[in-house]
Amino acid sequence: IAGITQAPTSQILAAGRRMTLRCTQDMRHNAMYWYRQDLGLGLRLIHYSNTAGTTGKGEVPDGYSVSRANTDDFPLTLASAVPSQTSVYFCASSEGPSNEQFFGPGTRLTVL
Amino acid sequence: AQSVTQPDIHITVSEGASLELRCNYSYGATPYLFWYVQSPGQGLQLLLKYFSGDTLVQGIKGFEAEFKRSQSSFNLRKPSVHWSDAAEYFCAVGAQAAGNKLTFGGGTRVLVKP
């Protein structure tokens, strides 16, 4: 693989269910990010990780959790999904604060 | 807190015509500025970035952007649009003081008429 992969591509989920979105990068980037994209709002940062073993909250962290056990993987978990979490989720990575972020293809999540 | 405004939600342009997309930011320190493009159903691809130095930045696909500190703007331009430029464009701002985080504008959707 090259770049960032996300899984699943899309998912329909019942409200109240737990869901983990997967993100893997093979560029050995230190920093990784999760965004959600909603019409007219652009991308909003959910959580980020500057390096393996550390995470931080972004603009819209409520209802989401992340972990960063190693450099390559950065899963995003919805503990109990709600309809307002229906969105397209993008994972990204970068080498550092002044470098461009590389984006994965996205996961389209629908919560009913 | 930093913020980014893209005033135009939609722009329609004829193929071969010029294109300018507006971006205004608000941030106290010197920002890093980016333009990304998103084709339908795809992730985001970097068009160009500004960190320091020459305020006119050249990017991929024939795009350029100019950083104007006095106007807090970073507008994207292309002299002659191709049908393949139809996409959504996002301006983003970051800063060393803000760590690795970027703030994105709401996006501008560009439609290209034949």
Side-chain angles (χ1 to χ4, degrees), chain A residues 43-47 57-62, chain B residues 101-104:
Chain A
L43 278 76
R44 292 180 293 168
L45 183 66
I46 304 171
H47 284 287
K57 293 182 179 180
E59 181 183 355
V60 289
D62 294 343
Chain B
K101 299 187 290 290
L102 294 183
T103 298
F104 283 82

Side-chain angles (χ1 to χ4, degrees), chain A residues 35 43 45 59 101, chain B residues 1-4 34 91-94 98 101-105:
Chain A
Y35 295 90
L43 278 76
L45 183 66
E59 181 183 355
Q101 293 187 11
Chain B
Q2 55 204 44
S3 66
V4 181
F34 305 82
C91 182
V93 62
K101 299 187 290 290
L102 294 183
T103 298
F104 283 82

Side-chain angles (χ1 to χ4, degrees), chain B residues 30-78:
Chain B
T30 300
Y32 306 138
L33 295 158
F34 305 82
W35 274 100
Y36 284 85
V37 61
Q38 184 182 31
S39 298
Q42 303 295 313
L44 278 72
Q45 180 185 20
L46 182 73
L47 283 175
L48 47 78
K49 57 189 177 184
Y50 171 80
F51 294 153
S52 64
D54 192 347
T55 57
L56 185 62
V57 180
Q58 301 297 319
I60 62 171
K61 303 185 180 186
F63 285 91
E64 67 177 25
E66 186 171 13
F67 171 55
K68 293 186 177 180
R69 185 186 302 275
S70 61
Q71 299 177 19
S72 297
S73 69
F74 189 56
N75 294 348
L76 182 71
R77 298 191 293 258
K78 185 168 184 177

